[in-house]
Amino acid sequence: AGGEHVAFYYYELKIEERPTHAIYAYCPSQCYKGESWKSISFFQGKLVNEVQLALNNAGKPRLLIRTTSDIVPTGNDFYYAACDGDCIQANQWTMTYLRGNGSTAPLEFKDDDLPQRTFALDPAGNPRFLYLDGRNSSLGMFYNYCDSQCDQKTAWQQVRINKVIESPQYRDDNFYYP
């Protein structure tokens, strides 16, 4: 419809004392003018380390947001955010906690400077994403999907997509930066 959508988080925030939250910004027209842009923040005071944006067929934003975990020590939490109204108003968004993962530090050292392309909408507008879990209890790469009522955590499903062989010698398929 001619508008522009942008979603991001701040890079090197601890070093440069920048904010830690996620930002969604929208410009309906004349986006070359600064005053045309409006924005909203998510997770103020929490460390956000990933924001991915997709638009559904109606042009409405959907976000995958990854933050440091409140549940899993040294892990991450994944949230799905959706807006179908005036998306510069906080009360127009639904924010759904999906799950946490365990630390995968060896794979995440470059997470902040490589493209983050693990979130997409299928042709019907349903969200899908991949994440890596490093916990022994759920080690692997997981495909997550939702086909309806995606503002409900229970509507989300997941399946491990890598092969893990535990014996005689542990081996697994590794996915680096899918």
Side-chain angles (χ1 to χ4, degrees), residues 46-146:
K46 189 171 176 78
L47 180 61
V48 173
N49 50 29
E50 178 178 348
V51 180
Q52 293 186 61
L53 166 71
L55 300 178
N56 69 10
N57 295 335
K60 294 300 182 178
R62 304 297 188 251
L63 303 174
L64 177 68
I65 301 173
R66 184 181 66 184
T67 68
T68 54
S69 183
D70 291 329
I71 300 165
V72 181
T74 70
N76 299 297
D77 289 336
F78 292 89
Y79 295 86
Y80 173 70
C83 177
D84 289 319
D86 178 1
C87 299
I88 300 305
Q89 304 298 319
N91 64 355
Q92 297 296 303
W93 286 86
T94 59
M95 185 72 61
T96 307
Y97 169 78
L98 302 177
R99 56 192 28 97
N101 74 341
S103 177
T104 55
L107 301 179
E108 291 178 352
F109 285 138
K110 293 188 174 273
D111 258 4
D112 57 358
D113 63 1
L114 290 173
Q116 296 171 331
R117 297 183 180 134
T118 59
F119 175 65
L121 302 180
D122 73 5
N126 300 314
R128 276 76 170 106
F129 76 97
L130 296 171
Y131 81 94
L132 182 64
D133 200 334
R135 294 176 290 178
N136 287 336
S137 61
S138 61
L139 184 66
M141 176 64 71
F142 292 88
Y143 173 73
N144 295 261
Y145 60 97
C146 178

Side-chain angles (χ1 to χ4, degrees), residues 144-159:
N144 295 261
Y145 60 97
C146 178
D147 291 330
S148 67
Q149 299 179 325
C150 299
D151 61 337
Q152 305 295 315
K153 180 182 176 182
T154 56
W156 285 80
Q157 305 297 314
Q158 75 173 9
V159 62

Side-chain angles (χ1 to χ4, degrees), residues 31-46:
C31 298
Y32 57 87
K33 296 181 181 179
E35 63 270 13
S36 296
W37 288 89
K38 304 293 182 220
S39 65
I40 185 170
S41 298
F42 301 101
F43 297 106
Q44 290 185 349
K46 189 171 176 78

